[in-house]
Amino acid sequence: MNQEFFGTTPPKKLFMKLAIPGLFSMLFSSLYMMADGMFVGKMIGRKALAAINLVFPIIMIVFAVGDMIAAGASVKIGMKLGEKKEDEASRIFSMALLLMLVIDGLFMIASLFFAKDLIFILIKDKELATLAYQFASVFILAFPFIAPFFALDNYLRLCGKATLSMWVNIAVSLLNIVLDALLIGYFKLGIETAAWASVLSMLIGTLIFLYPFIMKKVALRFTKPKVDVKEFLYVIYNGSSVFLGNISGSIMAIITNGFLLYYGGPVAVAAFSVVTYIDALMLPILSGMVDSILPVISYSYGAKDYRRITQFFHLTCRVGFVLSIVTLLIMVMFPDFLVGLFSSTSEGDLIQMGKIALLLSAPSYLVNWYSLTVGSFLTGIEKATASIVVMLVESVLLPLFLMVVLTKFMGVYGLFLVPSVGGLGAAVIAWMTWRRCVKKEFNSFRFGVK
């Protein structure tokens, strides 16, 4: 299948061809993240699990810059492919990869000098800070080499190679799990080996992803990169909602961890990390499904096929709702099993608090899928400002307000309730924003509104 099928294949059939590989790709990627947590929590201990949960948001801030360029360029590339301008699409593709390489290289150099001090400033517990830096230092050295992994995956799907993307992601995830089992489970090595397992797996995946582009087996080719200032600013603007979503999520995670340490100590951070790992399983599956069809949305937008965009929006909403309900039921029915995956039977306080955190946050899955879908689709149709509004409400404004208010009345348990209460408010704002943008852009269609 090549990108021309984006405009000719029936929506349901194309949705299955793209969304199912994207869903399975992210399922396995999420499973390896859970495997990291399981091996670290059970084999190294709660302090190591808390340390990863504390430092990983900082690592993700760096990756967020690359994601911004990748997402902003993807929309433009998809539109150019929809307009049958493959040479221009390839030029933007090459420019985006060059910019990512330069920026991630600069981040690596800066992190080598400042990351340790920053981590010890943010994490007052010296043992936690030491563990966190041991984990982060591996990623720092690998930034320029593994950051293109996610971008190349996205560009490969833009070229209609969703199945190849799926198999590479599955292989990378399984390799990561095997390395975790070998290094942590068998050899009993430390927390830094969890990072090495991820880095080595992603590096191999990056090399595999590069092959089709180097060998000219897809529509996008490497060309002599030409950085056009206007085009660069467009890429930054259109990817800004993704960047702000990622970076605000990371900053909010850091703030949340600070509240957790204040109200409940390291055990509260470890308990909430169970919720974080469940989110790391489910939310990437939903976002993987949505992201896998965004090339079609951008392609259809470039071709001005608005009815097709409508059909994909409805399909995505229905599938996202079903997946979220299944997740909610699993969390409510099996909290003991889920918490037990990340803790030993001797850690009674962690198990009890983890169960409460899981049950209080579970209702968020009733609504979170909708905000995620709306934000991604708005980015896909060049509505970056509206997408930023949805993201800020969902990821920053409501959570901050609720953390301050709910902890006054409920202490640490108020933090566990923030995702559910905030998710409902964010879904309402997303629905209102979607209606307004749709009526303004496609006044001849009831786009996503019945």
Side-chain angles (χ1 to χ4, degrees):
M1 184 180 68
N2 57 49
Q3 75 282 356
E4 291 183 358
F5 278 67
F6 290 166
T8 58
T9 307
K12 288 185 179 180
K13 182 179 179 181
L14 185 57
F15 185 87
M16 297 292 285
K17 281 180 174 291
L18 296 176
I20 289 181
L23 189 152
F24 275 101
S25 294
M26 295 311 298
L27 172 62
F28 277 86
S29 296
S30 301
L31 285 175
Y32 95 69
M33 292 183 68
M34 285 190 67
D36 274 350
M38 290 164 59
F39 280 108
V40 170
K42 283 185 171 292
M43 305 302 297
I44 305 178
R46 70 164 71 169
K47 280 260 185 176
L49 184 63
I52 291 178
N53 200 49
L54 287 168
V55 78
F56 207 73
I58 302 174
I59 296 172
M60 293 308 297
I61 289 175
V62 179
F63 282 116
V65 178
D67 287 344
M68 172 182 65
I69 297 172
S74 292
V75 174
K76 197 70 172 178
I77 291 169
M79 291 175 60
K80 293 299 181 183
L81 292 175
E83 296 166 1
K84 314 299 181 187
K85 298 177 180 178
E86 293 187 1
D87 289 341
E88 290 188 32
S90 293
R91 181 177 55 78
I92 297 169
F93 158 74
S94 301
M95 177 193 74
L97 286 179
L98 175 64
L99 289 172
M100 276 187 283
L101 183 63
V102 171
I103 291 173
D104 287 318
L106 292 174
F107 268 116
M108 181 191 73
I109 294 170
S111 298
L112 289 172
F113 287 99
F114 304 114
K116 186 174 183 178
D117 291 337
L118 177 62
I119 289 171
F120 275 81
I121 289 172
L122 293 174
I123 303 175
K124 300 302 182 183
D125 185 310
K126 289 188 177 180
E127 184 182 356
L128 278 176
T130 300
L131 289 168
Y133 180 69
Q134 288 173 354
F135 182 82
S137 61
V138 177
F139 279 94
I140 290 171
L141 294 172
F143 276 148
F145 310 105
I146 63 174
F149 176 85
F150 302 105
L152 289 169
D153 180 29
N154 194 21
Y155 297 146
L156 197 62
R157 284 186 273 112
L158 270 171
C159 296
K161 301 295 183 181
T163 302
L164 176 59
S165 166
M166 176 188 72
W167 287 116
V168 174
N169 274 284
I170 289 174
V172 167
S173 302
L174 291 177
L175 176 60
N176 194 314
I177 293 172
V178 170
L179 290 174
D180 275 336
L182 184 65
L183 298 174
I184 301 175
Y186 183 76
F187 288 111
K188 314 294 184 186
L189 299 178
I191 190 173
E192 65 276 6
T193 55
W196 275 117
S198 298
V199 164
L200 291 174
S201 302
M202 292 175 65
L203 179 59
I204 292 172
T206 300
L207 295 175
I208 296 173
F209 277 144
L210 280 170
Y211 178 79
F213 299 103
I214 293 173
M215 301 306 294
K216 300 182 179 181
K217 294 182 177 293
V218 290
L220 294 176
R221 313 288 175 86
F222 284 108
T223 64
K224 184 178 180 180
K226 178 183 177 182
V227 180
D228 181 279
V229 175
K230 184 177 179 180
E231 206 162 60
F232 170 73
L233 293 175
Y234 169 88
V235 166
I236 297 299
Y237 168 73
N238 211 51
S240 59
S241 61
V242 174
F243 172 72
L244 290 174
N246 287 335
I247 197 171
S248 64
S250 296
I251 292 173
M252 287 305 301
I254 294 169
I255 294 172
T256 300
N257 287 330
F259 272 80
L260 288 166
L261 283 171
Y262 179 80
Y263 283 99
V267 66
V269 178
F272 196 69
S273 69
V274 177
V275 177
T276 303
Y277 277 112
I278 299 298
D279 279 346
L281 173 64
M282 196 58 215
L283 292 181
I285 291 175
L286 292 172
S287 63
M289 178 188 68
V290 176
D291 289 347
S292 66
I293 62 168
L294 280 187
V296 182
I297 305 308
S298 297
Y299 185 98
S300 300
Y301 190 68
K304 302 190 185 303
D305 191 348
Y306 305 140
R307 186 180 299 278
R308 194 170 180 81
I309 300 175
T310 304
Q311 294 169 325
F312 274 97
F313 181 79
H314 291 149
L315 280 169
T316 305
C317 284
R318 287 195 289 268
V319 176
F321 176 72
V322 171
L323 289 174
S324 298
I325 290 298
V326 171
T327 304
L328 171 64
L329 292 175
I330 292 173
M331 292 173 72
V332 171
M333 294 172 64
F334 307 107
D336 294 274
F337 170 74
L338 293 172
V339 175
L341 292 174
F342 302 93
S343 58
S344 65
T345 54
S346 62
E347 297 175 311
D349 53 346
L350 172 58
I351 292 172
Q352 184 60 29
M353 187 173 285
K355 286 168 57 179
I356 295 172
L358 204 62
L359 293 173
L360 288 177
S361 64
S364 65
Y365 283 94
L366 289 171
V367 289
N368 281 353
W369 59 271
Y370 186 74
S371 300
L372 188 153
T373 302
V374 168
S376 295
F377 267 68
L378 287 171
T379 297
I381 60 172
E382 293 189 295
K383 296 292 179 290
T385 301
S387 181
I388 290 171
V389 169
V390 173
M391 177 279 304
L392 285 175
V393 170
E394 178 187 22
S395 302
V396 180
L397 300 179
L398 278 175
L400 271 177
F401 173 76
L402 290 170
M403 275 194 286
V404 173
V405 173
L406 292 178
T407 51
K408 294 292 184 183
F409 298 97
M410 301 174 64
V412 70
Y413 299 107
L415 296 170
F416 301 152
L417 197 58
V418 167
S420 297
V421 179
L424 178 61
V428 172
I429 298 298
W431 178 76
M432 295 170 60
T433 306
W434 185 244
R435 284 180 60 94
R436 181 181 60 81
C437 289
V438 164
K439 286 185 176 181
K440 182 178 180 180
E441 177 71 12
F442 308 131
N443 56 15
S444 60
F445 294 90
R446 300 292 290 175
F447 187 55
V449 182
K450 291 189 176 181

